[in-house]
Amino acid sequence: GAVVSQHPSRVICKSGTSVKIECRSLDFQATTMFWYRQFPKQSLMLMATSNEGSKATYEQGVEKDKFLINHASLTLSTLTVTSAHPEDSSFYICSARDRGGFTEAFFGQGTRLTVV
Amino acid sequence: DAKTTQPTSMDCAEGRAANLPCNHSTISGNEYVYWYRQIHSQGPQYIIHGLKNNETNEMASLIITEDRKSSTLILPHATLRDTAVYYCIVRVPQNQGGKLIFGQGTELSVKP
């Protein structure tokens, strides 16, 4: 299957700082990328849909000013957690789908964020 | 909200077939059924998807009932490495964003 790479895989940051997570599609062009968050022993929760060249669409209850998403190219989307707090500690996962839109979405390996 | 319901957990003996059921009684005619699995602390892995017909690939088979209200994922010869959480997902139609909304999934434990 296609490869989606996230970076970093783990990050620890101090409360009040911002953290950027990158999601890259390595061998295909992704017009759409999705960002999820997963707390321990829970399922994945969709945060937002990122479309190349346009503003992201956020799910209800997700603060767009806190979770900044940029999808500047067909192979890269970034999620920035601004002014992070301990409650933002979670497993963040991106997925990307080929520009065709009728295929499966592939997921990155996830980023474990710990805010101390 | 997720449009699927799955058993919380299942056990399977190594080497036997694992049959994971999924109910999606409110599925619409143009919505696909997708299956993913997640091994602890990793991103979900795509398994298979289908619309109406049964599907088979190198990983699994997907059996969809004629009324499309339920489906079964079959792992023909389960191994210990198949221990994971399996998610059955009804994908939002493409013209509505094509999102994958995850439910709680089934935690499959393959035992020696």
Side-chain angles (χ1 to χ4, degrees):
Chain A
V3 178
V4 176
S5 177
Q6 271 184 253
H7 178 79
S9 57
R10 288 179 177 273
V11 58
I12 300 172
C13 72
K14 292 185 177 181
S15 187
T17 62
S18 296
V19 174
K20 180 185 285 187
I21 302 169
E22 293 186 348
C23 178
R24 294 181 184 272
S25 56
L26 297 187
D27 50 2
F28 67 99
Q29 292 184 325
T31 45
T32 304
M33 291 185 175
F34 304 91
W35 287 95
Y36 294 82
R37 180 168 57 180
Q38 185 175 33
F39 292 109
K41 297 193 181 299
Q42 293 187 21
S43 185
L44 285 76
M45 185 194 80
L46 180 65
M47 299 175 68
T49 302
S50 165
N51 293 298
E52 186 264 340
S54 63
K55 290 184 178 180
T57 303
Y58 290 81
E59 295 298 306
Q60 191 172 8
V62 178
E63 300 175 61
K64 63 180 181 180
D65 294 330
K66 180 166 184 65
F67 299 100
L68 301 178
I69 292 172
N70 183 278
H71 191 161
S73 78
L74 285 172
T75 60
L76 174 64
S77 176
T78 60
L79 168 67
T80 301
V81 183
T82 63
S83 187
H85 290 284
E87 57 266 32
D88 297 322
S89 298
S90 188
F91 192 50
Y92 291 87
I93 310 168
C94 73
S95 75
R97 194 166 60 230
D98 199 341
R99 57 164 57 204
F102 295 99
T103 62
E104 60 272 28
F106 295 97
F107 285 78
Q109 72 273 33
T111 297
R112 176 74 59 192
L113 170 63
T114 303
V115 185
V116 298
Chain B
D1 290 342
K3 298 180 69 171
T4 62
T5 54
Q6 301 175 251
T8 302
S9 63
M10 291 181 65
D11 290 342
C12 177
E14 187 180 18
R16 303 297 293 270
N19 297 281
L20 291 89
C22 179
N23 287 321
H24 31 79
S25 58
T26 61
I27 193 170
S28 299
N30 60 347
E31 291 178 323
Y32 282 75
V33 178
Y34 280 73
W35 283 83
Y36 284 80
R37 71 181 183 185
Q38 185 180 27
I39 296 170
H40 183 61
S41 294
Q42 297 182 24
Q45 177 190 22
Y46 166 79
I47 302 173
I48 200 166
H49 74 280
L51 181 63
K52 296 180 182 178
N53 301 321
N54 298 336
E55 302 287 344
T56 296
N57 62 20
E58 65 277 6
M59 289 185 68
S61 294
L62 174 60
I63 308 298
I64 303 174
T65 58
E66 192 168 342
D67 63 7
R68 302 212 323 124
K69 292 184 177 182
S70 66
S71 61
T72 301
L73 178 75
I74 302 172
L75 307 179
H77 305 287
T79 70
L80 299 179
R81 288 181 296 179
D82 292 323
T83 292
V85 179
Y86 287 76
Y87 295 100
C88 169
I89 303 165
V90 172
R91 199 185 94 167
V92 171
Q94 180 63 17
N95 61 5
Q96 297 174 31
K99 299 180 287 190
L100 294 172
I101 305 298
F102 284 73
Q104 293 307 306
T106 296
E107 188 167 7
L108 175 68
S109 296
V110 180
K111 301 182 184 298

